[in-house]
C-alpha cells in the first residue's frame, strides 16, 4: 500500500489536472477536470477541492498517507506560498488566497502554491533532470519564457515571490520591444509569437521553404511546431530558424552561468521538443560566451518530466 | 577593552592593507605594508602573517579576542574559501592555498578568503548600506565591474566560487566586444578603459568640452575622474557621458531585479563617486525597464564604506 502521498494540482485557464503522487514521482491516479475560470475564483477553488477529495478518497492508499497538496498556478504567486494575483486568463480573479482557501476545504491540509515555472523547477529537482544536482536553472519555453532557480535544493523565489523571471533579461538593450515594457528581453526573441512572427518575416527570402507548404500558404498558421516539422523534413531555412532560436537562448544562458556559477541548465516546454535543432546551437553559443572558468563545467539538458511536468512539479512544491 | 576582533586583510598587487576590526565595524588599528607580489606567493603570505601578528599583538585588545582573519583577494577564489587562483598582477602565483597557509602561520586561526567584490558585499551587508537588508546585489565600478550577491545575509558564491560575475552579463549580444571573450558585457560599457575610450571617440563632436581643457588637449589622459570633474564644472558633454554610463548600468540592473526580486542594489567603487550624475539616469532606466511588479519596490544606493571598504569587507568574511 502506498504511503507518503502528495496531491499535485496543475491549474490552467481551462482545465485542472490533478494527480496523487508517491515519493518516487509516480502518479498513482490522476484527474482532468474543467477549471470554470469564467465563473470566478470561488468556482475554481471548489473544483480544486472537489478534485483533490476525489483523489484522497480513491481507495488506492490510506487517506491519512496524504501529507499535502501542491498547486502550480499561472501568474504571480506571493512569497507566502498561498496568494495568487491576477493570473492571465482568469477573469474576475484579482488577489486570491488560493492556498489558504483550498486548505480550509480539505481539513486544513498543508497546501503549497507557486507559479508554474517554479513548480516545473521543483519537479525537475525532485523527480527529473535535476535530481542529481543541488543547484540549477530551468527555462520553460512556451508563449513566454518561464524561469526557475534551484539553490541548495530549494526554489529561489526572491524577496516577494516575483523572482526568477529569467525570460525578462535583456540581451539587447536596443533590440526587440517586449510586451513587458522592456526592450530586448530573451522572451521577445524566443517567445512563441515573437518566434513565429520573425519566421514569417524571414520567409520572404525563402519562398521555397517547406514551411509554406506545411501551412498551405497561410503564413498566419505558422507556429514553432510547424517550423520543427519542416526542419525534420530537412528544410534548410527551418533548420536555420531553429538554430537562431537556440543561439538567442545560448546568449542568455551564458549570462546566467556567469551570474550563478551553476553546472546545470534544464530547458523544457513546447519547442524544446525540437531537440538538437535548438540544443546544439544553444550549447555552442553558451560555451563560446561564458567566462573561461565555466567553459567545460556546465551542461544544458532537456527537461525530463514531459507531459507529467505540471502534476509532478506541483506535487514537488510540498516540502 | 575591545573583544570579538577580526583582522581584515585587503590584498592588492602592490600594497596590503590590514585592520583590526571590532563588532561595530570600527577599525581599531590599521597597517599598510608592501605586498612584494613580485617575489612570489611565499613572500606575500609571509607579509600577511607578519602584518596580522603585529595587529594581534598591538596591545589594544586581548590577543585571545581575535576570532579570525578575513582576506579579500583579487582574482578567483575557490568555494573552499582558501584557494586563490591566478590573481592578476601577481606573477608566479598559479594556485595557492592562501587561507590554509595564513592559518598555519597564525596558530591555526580561522581564515576566510574571498574575492574583493564578494568581500565588498559582505562588508556592506554587515557594516554598510546593506545592514538593514537580508538580500541585495552589489556592483563595484572600477577597471572592471565586480559583482556581489547577498542572499539571506550570506555571500552567494555559486557552486565553485566563481559566481556573481554581474559585470559579465551581456546587454547587447552584438554590441561591444568584452575582453572576457563575450560580446556586450556590461563591463564593456562601463569598465574604466571602455568608458574612457568611448568618451574620447565621442569628444570629436564636442570640441569645446571642458574635458579637453582639463587634460590640456592630451586625450590619452582622459579617465572617469576627469569626466566627473568636467561635469561638476557644468560641461554638457561630460554630463551626457555620465548619464549614458548610468543608463547602461540601469539596463543591467533591471535584468538583475527581474532575476532576483531584490529590493536593494548597492553601487560602489571609483566612478560611483560621481553620485547623481550616474545614479539618477541609472535609477530612471532601471525603473523604466523592470517588470511592473518591481517598479516602486527597489532602491539603488551608493556603497557606504568608502576607503574602508577593503578592510571592513575582508573582516566581514569571517563568519
Amino acid at each position: 500500500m502506498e504511503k507518503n502521498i502528495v496531491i499535485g494540482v496543475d491549474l490552467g485557464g481551462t482545465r485542472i489536472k490533478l494527480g496523487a503522487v508517491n515519493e518516487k514521482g509516480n502518479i498513482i491516479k490522476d484527474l482532468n477536470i474543467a477549471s470554470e475560470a469564467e465563473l470566478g475564483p470561488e468556482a475554481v477553488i471548489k473544483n480544486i477541492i472537489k478534485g483533490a477529495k476525489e483523489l484522497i478518497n480513491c481507495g488506492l492508499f490510506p487517506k491519512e498517507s496524504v501529507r499535502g497538496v501542491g498547486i502550480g498556478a499561472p501568474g504571480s504567486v506571493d512569497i507566502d506560498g498561498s496568494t495568487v494575483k491576477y493570473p492571465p486568463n482568469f477573469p474576475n480573479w484579482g488577489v486570491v488566497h488560493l492556498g489558504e482557501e483550498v486548505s480550509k476545504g480539505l481539513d486544513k491540509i498543508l497546501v503549497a502554491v507557486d507559479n508554474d515555472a517554479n513548480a516545473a523547477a521543483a519537479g525537475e529537482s525532485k523527480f527529473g533532470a535535476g535530481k542529481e544536482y543541488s543547484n540549477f536553472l530551468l527555462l520553460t519555453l512556451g508563449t513566454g519564457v518561464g524561469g526557475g532557480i534551484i539553490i541548495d535544493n530549494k526554489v529561489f523565489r526572491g524577496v516577494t515571490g516575483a523572482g526568477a523571471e529569467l525570460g525578462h533579461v535583456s540581451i539587447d538593450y536596443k533590440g526587440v520591444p517586449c510586451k513587458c515594457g522592456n526592450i530586448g528581453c530573451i522572451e521577445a526573441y524566443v517567445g512563441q509569437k515573437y518566434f513565429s512572427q520573425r519566421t514569417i518575416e524571414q520567409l520572404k527570402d525563402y519562398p521555397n521553404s517547406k514551411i509554406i507548404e506545411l501551412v498551405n500558404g497561410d503564413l498566419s498558421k505558422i507556429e514553432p511546431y510547424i517550423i520543427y516539422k519542416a526542419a525534420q523534413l530537412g528544410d534548410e531555412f527551418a533548420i536555420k530558424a531553429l538554430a537562431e532560436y537556440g543561439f538567442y537562448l545560448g546568449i542568455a544562458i551564458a549570462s546566467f552561468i556567469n551570474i550563478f556559477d551553476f553546472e546545470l541548465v534544464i530547458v523544457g516546454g513546447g519547442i524544446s521538443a525540437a531537440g538538437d535543432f535548438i540544443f546544439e546551437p544553444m550549447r555552442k553559443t553558451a560555451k563560446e560566451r561564458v567566462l573561461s572558468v565555466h567553459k567545460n563545467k556546465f551542461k544544458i539538458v532537456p527537461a525530463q518530466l514531459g507531459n507529467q511536468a505540471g502534476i509532478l512539479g506541483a506535487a514537488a512544491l510540498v516540502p
Side-chain angles (χ1 to χ4, degrees), chain A:
Chain A
M1 200 65 141
E2 297 282 356
K3 50 183 185 173
N4 213 348
I5 301 292
V6 166
I7 308 296
V9 180
D10 180 10
L11 175 59
T14 52
R15 308 295 298 176
I16 306 172
K17 295 176 201 155
L18 302 96
V21 178
N22 71 8
E23 278 180 296
K24 291 179 182 156
N26 297 318
I27 299 176
I28 298 166
K29 185 169 173 59
D30 61 352
L31 272 183
N32 186 322
I33 61 180
S35 312
E36 301 186 300
E38 68 283 4
L39 302 181
E42 288 78 17
V44 174
I45 290 164
K46 228 174 91 181
N47 288 330
I48 292 174
I49 292 169
K50 202 180 137 203
K53 275 189 181 160
E54 191 175 330
L55 288 178
I56 292 168
N57 296 309
C58 71
L60 294 170
F61 42 82
K63 283 168 59 170
E64 305 72 42
S65 65
V66 179
R67 59 186 186 81
V69 174
I71 306 177
S76 136
V77 179
D78 223 73
I79 194 73
D80 66 4
S82 167
T83 310
V84 178
K85 294 174 179 165
Y86 306 101
N89 309 318
F90 284 73
N92 311 316
W93 186 276
V95 174
V96 174
H97 302 291
L98 181 65
E100 215 179 300
E101 294 298 327
V102 170
S103 179
K104 268 190 210 161
L106 292 169
D107 292 333
K108 307 225 164 144
I109 200 169
L110 173 65
V111 178
V113 187
D114 209 334
N115 73 56
D116 33 26
N118 285 348
E124 293 293 334
S125 172
K126 201 155 184 182
F127 305 122
K131 226 165 33 180
E132 310 292 328
Y133 290 78
S134 303
N135 301 278
F136 66 84
L137 300 178
L138 171 109
L139 293 169
T140 59
L141 310 174
T143 313
V145 176
I149 302 171
I150 299 290
I151 299 180
D152 291 340
N153 295 306
K154 287 196 297 281
V155 175
F156 171 83
R157 308 185 59 212
V159 168
T160 70
E165 286 289 356
L166 301 178
H168 294 285
V169 166
S170 176
I171 61 167
D172 184 358
Y173 69 90
K174 51 187 173 1
V176 178
C178 181
K179 70 176 176 350
C180 79
N182 196 356
I183 296 167
C185 291
I186 181 65
E187 177 164 312
Y189 293 82
V190 302
Q192 195 166 315
K193 278 178 193 162
Y194 297 97
F195 177 42
S196 302
Q197 195 51 45
R198 187 172 63 244
T199 303
I200 292 169
E201 280 158 28
Q202 293 175 344
L203 263 175
K204 288 172 196 148
D205 299 331
Y206 298 86
N208 300 319
S209 166
K210 289 202 172 63
I211 295 175
I212 299 174
E213 222 169 281
L214 287 168
V215 295
N216 293 319
D218 181 356
L219 300 192
S220 72
K221 285 193 179 143
I222 288 174
E223 50 175 292
Y225 172 71
I226 301 284
I227 303 166
Y228 170 41
K229 216 167 149 184
Q232 282 183 306
L233 295 170
D235 184 68
E236 270 182 52
F237 167 70
I239 292 171
K240 199 176 85 64
L242 291 172
E244 192 183 343
Y245 187 103
F247 166 74
Y248 289 127
L249 280 172
I251 290 159
I253 288 173
S255 289
F256 297 154
I257 289 175
N258 289 346
I259 294 174
F260 286 99
D261 177 32
F262 285 171
E263 293 167 341
L264 182 69
V265 177
I266 300 174
V267 180
I271 189 65
S272 72
D276 282 350
F277 287 121
I278 68 164
F279 276 83
E280 282 312 313
M282 181 162 64
R283 290 180 182 122
K284 181 170 171 282
T285 305
K287 191 172 169 179
E288 278 166 8
R289 289 179 173 242
V290 286
L291 290 168
S292 58
V293 64
H294 301 299
K295 282 212 191 294
N296 297 302
K297 280 195 186 152
F298 69 93
K299 288 200 287 188
I300 304 177
V301 304
Q304 273 179 8
L305 301 184
N307 288 337
Q308 302 193 316
I311 288 174
L312 291 182
L317 292 173
V318 178

